[in-house]
Amino acid sequence: MRRVERYAAGLVRLSVGHRGLVCLLWLAVLLAGGAAAAANLGRLDQSFTASGQDGSRANAAITERYGFGAGVAPLVAVVTWPNGTGGRSAAAAARLESGLAAATEPGTRVLSYAGTGDGAFLSPDGRTTYALVYPRSGKPDLAGLSAVRAATERLRTGLRAALPEARVNVTGVLPLQEDSATERPGLLLQLANAACALGALLLLLRTFRPLLSLLPLLLAAVSSVAALVVVLALAGGMELSFVVVYLIPAAALALSVRRAATLVTAWRAELARGSDARLAPLRAGSVLADRAVTGALAGAAALAALALLPVSFLRSIGIAGAAVCLITTLAALTLGPALLSWAPGRLRERRPGKGRSPQLRFSTRELALPGGRPRAPRMLAAGALVALALLTGAAGFLTAGNPRADALVRGGPARDGLDQLTAAGIPSGVLNPLELLAPSGVEPAEVAARAARVPGVVTAVAPGAAAWRRDGTALVAVIPSGEPMTASGRRTMKDVRSASAGTETLTGGSGVPELDLVQGVYRLVPLGLAVMALLGFAVVAGLRSAGVAVRAALCGTVSALAVSGLLVLVWQYGPGARLLGGVAATGAVTGWVPLVAGALAFLDALDRAVAPGSAPRVRPGIGLVGPLSLLAIGLGPQVELALLVTGLGGAVLLNSMLVRALAALPGRSRPGAHERSAETTTSALPATPVSSYWSRPRLPLGHTIPLAEPSDHAQ
């Protein structure tokens, strides 16, 4: 056992010796930390945008000067007049204008045919018209979304009351997402969720038995709260994204289940061999220290590298990943053994299988030490590696951005409005207009004329109303035909930005941050992944061996890419979208989801790969607990949530497949002499003097700590 693992095992002994204090401290973290975290979530940037890029700066400038708009997509009111009535008539236009004024708050920015006379706001037959209504929502955070919800209902109700003879609907990106969140899943999807939840529960009970099945959940809870408190404390001095709220619990659950399974399995194996019940938690903690500490340090170092990159998204993911990796391992090494030392006698006894001794049962089946080969056929392992290679290649086809509007929800008021809009021949790109902020001294009409000449622009308008002019600046609305995630939509955004570049005009809008996410964040992903792999390799090579380090860095890199490929094949191109609760192929993957899922995949794969030989084979399938729990919570009609849980759950599943496939391939050499000497078995553990490893003299277990020492270790 290396020095760092010996120190970790000393921490285990210290925790068992002061188990009451340790449990109280972690309980205080859970309760007080949970309350503090809930009260300070507002410190995190809730806009999910690539802050610091051109589009985000433009949106911030527009919001600061005008109070709303920019980053929040407008509501789209769709009105279809009855037969015999045309939207071009003066009477229809006047009624629409008065209806919009009555259905919106004073000062709301509105664009329509009635206010501009621009035929681009009418369908080809003239019967259907649409209006862009920018809700007074402030920033695109949770409070802003609540304001959008209220504005949507007011607009829908007011227009229907003002135009009773017309067919009126209100749609938009945010109303579509709102309907997606409130839509009830179908019967088959509900059964799938129930099956996932039941499967996770049965796996926990099968591995830990009823009472001890709470241990991994408790470890995940305290680790999540503690890591979130650390992130929120740092958020007081730097900008950190809300995406950490999704990464931290998922990573804590995946690591806690594996740490708890290793700890409980080693503890029961010690008891089955006849070890003293007071020494068993210490010896089990030694096993966990040997298997977990290297992975924790390597994962924390690798993820912390992202914190050095000048992008808040990646910085947030790096800080959160490093924090949860270290804290989860700390909780498992302290709280886990402390609780096991209090376990009642009935939990310590397990009946051995018929005809087997307890020692044989636990040492060969539940604590499968790394010398033997997995049972998986080599052909299946080779097939799994081929599948992973295909997924890794598919990552190159990733389109990061909001899903297509028609893939967000099956039905509802907002979907009715979208169908009404597109059926009339109006492109769905009108849901995401651009906003140009023309500075003082620049003629808004000239800016609009330049933008209107860009291919893919339906129209560009420079209204003269007071809501569109402030402090010498002016806003110009540019309506594209393509949605932001499409190739034509992105090309249009780039060309509009280029067309106005010489005038110091800022280009904002709800779709621009997605373009910035690709240009400003994803261009740094290869560098970030390379740095993560190098740091992970360096830490593992220093603590284990170069061979293990190469395997760990390779597994982490492949896994991070493969999970993006999984999202591409399942959601972007749609083969599994309907199966997992979606409507159809999304055409794009929500920009921040592959980053969060890739970070979890890298961290989990690195942790698995650095365990001596392989991760300990406890009860088969225990690694499915995390993915099944996530799928039970997130599978449903809310597309972005389903995308997220597919990525997070898929990361853990792919890692399990990757590590087992590598272990089953022919020609894999057995661990070398140095590595074998470092592997912890749970029998014949020698004693080390207490003074070397932080233990307290009054510990009732005597002045020795059971640790596995290499045969060539000299005190």
Side-chain angles (χ1 to χ4, degrees):
M1 180 178 286
R2 286 150 295 276
R3 182 181 298 273
V4 65
E5 283 93 353
R6 294 202 305 275
Y7 286 151
L11 182 62
V12 172
R13 180 180 178 85
L14 185 65
S15 301
V16 173
H18 300 83
R19 57 187 183 180
L21 179 60
V22 168
C23 292
L24 285 176
L25 287 175
W26 281 110
L27 179 62
V29 168
L30 181 62
L31 298 180
N40 290 280
L41 282 177
R43 289 188 173 190
L44 299 175
D45 176 21
Q46 301 172 18
S47 62
F48 294 90
T49 61
S51 301
Q53 304 302 310
D54 292 342
S56 298
R57 288 196 296 269
N59 287 345
I62 294 172
T63 302
E64 180 181 0
R65 184 158 304 218
Y66 289 84
F68 60 97
V72 178
L75 305 178
V76 182
V78 188
V79 178
T80 300
W81 299 100
N83 289 330
T85 303
R88 292 186 175 88
S89 68
R95 291 188 61 197
L96 175 61
E97 188 171 19
S98 63
L100 288 170
T104 57
E105 295 182 27
T108 300
R109 288 192 280 119
V110 179
L111 280 180
S112 68
Y113 176 77
T116 64
D118 192 333
F121 289 91
L122 293 171
S123 63
D125 62 4
R127 284 186 55 217
T128 299
T129 184
Y130 68 94
L132 302 181
V133 178
Y134 293 82
R136 299 177 63 87
S137 57
K139 295 181 179 180
D141 53 14
L142 298 181
L145 296 182
S146 178
V148 171
R149 192 180 302 116
T152 302
E153 189 58 34
R154 175 175 177 171
L155 180 62
R156 183 182 290 122
T157 303
L159 275 183
R160 286 177 177 175
L163 307 173
E165 77 280 13
R167 182 188 175 195
V168 176
N169 279 301
V170 176
T171 187
V173 175
L174 296 178
L176 287 167
Q177 293 176 343
E178 178 69 18
D179 285 357
S180 173
T182 57
E183 184 183 7
R184 291 181 58 84
L187 178 60
L188 290 179
L189 204 54
Q190 292 182 38
L191 292 176
N193 290 339
C196 290
L198 182 61
L201 178 61
L202 291 177
L203 285 173
L204 280 175
L205 294 176
R206 185 171 180 261
T207 301
F208 297 100
R209 302 307 166 99
L211 188 56
L212 285 180
S213 63
L214 297 176
L215 178 60
L217 303 181
L218 180 60
L219 293 178
V222 298
S223 303
S224 298
V225 169
L228 188 56
V229 168
V230 171
V231 171
L232 289 173
L234 294 175
M238 65 179 71
E239 183 181 1
L240 297 178
S241 173
F242 198 78
V243 297
V244 302
V245 174
Y246 304 106
L247 173 62
I248 287 175
L253 180 61
L255 294 175
S256 295
V257 168
R258 197 157 58 251
R259 304 271 191 266
T262 301
L263 182 67
V264 171
T265 298
W267 174 67
R268 284 175 171 160
E270 279 299 316
L271 294 174
R273 290 190 177 95
S275 296
D276 189 288
R278 297 174 300 170
L279 290 176
L282 297 176
R283 294 179 181 268
S286 305
V287 174
L288 178 62
D290 186 55
R291 295 181 181 277
V293 170
T294 301
L297 293 177
L303 267 295
L306 295 179
L308 303 177
L309 298 178
V311 177
S312 64
F313 253 71
L314 299 181
R315 180 170 61 244
S316 306
I317 291 172
I319 291 174
V324 73
C325 189
L326 292 175
I327 292 174
T328 301
T329 304
L330 178 64
L333 290 172
T334 55
L335 183 59
L339 291 175
L340 288 181
S341 67
W342 263 332
R346 57 189 176 85
L347 293 178
R348 300 170 182 165
E349 298 176 1
R350 296 186 62 185
R351 296 179 181 179
K354 185 177 180 181
R356 298 182 184 177
S357 67
Q359 182 175 355
L360 179 63
R361 175 184 175 87
F362 284 94
S363 62
T364 61
R365 180 179 178 181
E366 293 200 355
L367 196 65
L369 294 176
R373 291 193 179 275
R375 299 178 181 178
R378 292 176 178 175
M379 290 297 294
L380 289 179
L385 290 178
V386 171
L388 286 166
L390 292 175
L391 290 176
T392 303
F397 297 93
L398 174 68
T399 298
N402 287 327
R404 286 174 18 215
D406 61 356
L408 287 174
V409 65
R410 298 177 188 276
R415 180 57 191 255
D416 292 341
L418 176 63
D419 292 341
Q420 180 182 351
L421 188 76
T422 55
I426 300 171
S428 58
V430 303
L431 272 61
N432 285 282
L434 303 174
E435 290 184 76
L436 308 185
L437 179 61
S440 178
V442 176
E443 180 58 42
E446 177 61 25
V447 174
R450 289 189 181 190
R453 291 193 291 267
V454 172
V457 171
V458 175
T459 188
V461 184
W468 297 84
R469 305 287 175 96
R470 188 162 299 176
D471 300 332
T473 66
L475 286 178
V476 176
V478 180
I479 302 176
S481 60
E483 295 186 51
M485 82 292 301
T486 63
S488 62
R490 287 189 172 167
R491 185 167 54 251
T492 299
M493 286 191 290
K494 292 179 183 178
D495 292 345
V496 168
R497 182 179 283 175
S498 299
S500 57
T503 62
E504 299 183 357
T505 298
L506 300 178
T507 303
S510 58
V512 174
E514 297 294 339
L515 178 64
D516 288 344
L517 191 66
V518 175
Q519 294 181 336
V521 177
Y522 275 87
R523 66 181 177 85
L524 293 177
V525 167
L527 173 62
L529 195 57
V531 174
M532 289 167 63
L534 287 174
L535 277 179
F537 172 85
V539 174
V540 177
L543 295 177
R544 294 236 178 245
S545 66
V548 175
V550 169
R551 184 177 70 226
L554 179 64
C555 286
T557 304
V558 169
S559 179
L561 294 174
V563 73
S564 296
L566 178 69
L567 292 170
V568 168
L569 295 181
V570 172
W571 286 99
Q572 182 174 315
Y573 294 132
R578 291 182 180 273
L579 204 59
L580 297 178
V583 179
T586 59
V589 178
T590 304
W592 55 271
V593 169
L595 301 176
V596 174
L600 175 60
F602 188 96
L603 177 63
D604 187 69
L606 191 71
D607 187 76
R608 289 172 183 263
V610 300
S614 68
R617 290 215 321 260
V618 287
R619 284 289 187 180
I622 188 61
L624 295 175
V625 170
L628 288 176
S629 302
L630 291 170
L631 293 176
I633 295 171
L635 281 186
Q638 190 172 357
V639 174
E640 291 192 331
L641 181 58
L643 269 164
L644 177 64
V645 299
T646 302
L648 296 177
V652 181
L653 289 176
L654 290 176
N655 288 338
S656 179
M657 183 170 65
L658 174 61
V659 173
R660 288 179 179 273
L662 288 177
L665 284 181
R668 178 179 176 236
S669 60
R670 294 179 178 274
H674 177 74
E675 189 175 342
R676 283 198 303 270
S677 68
E679 293 172 4
T680 304
T681 63
T682 57
S683 60
L685 294 174
T688 301
V690 132
S691 58
S692 301
Y693 303 115
W694 308 344
S695 295
R696 298 291 293 270
R698 66 187 183 201
L699 187 64
L701 301 180
H703 296 281
T704 59
I705 176 172
L707 291 172
E709 298 287 354
S711 58
D712 58 349
H713 175 72
Q715 293 290 341

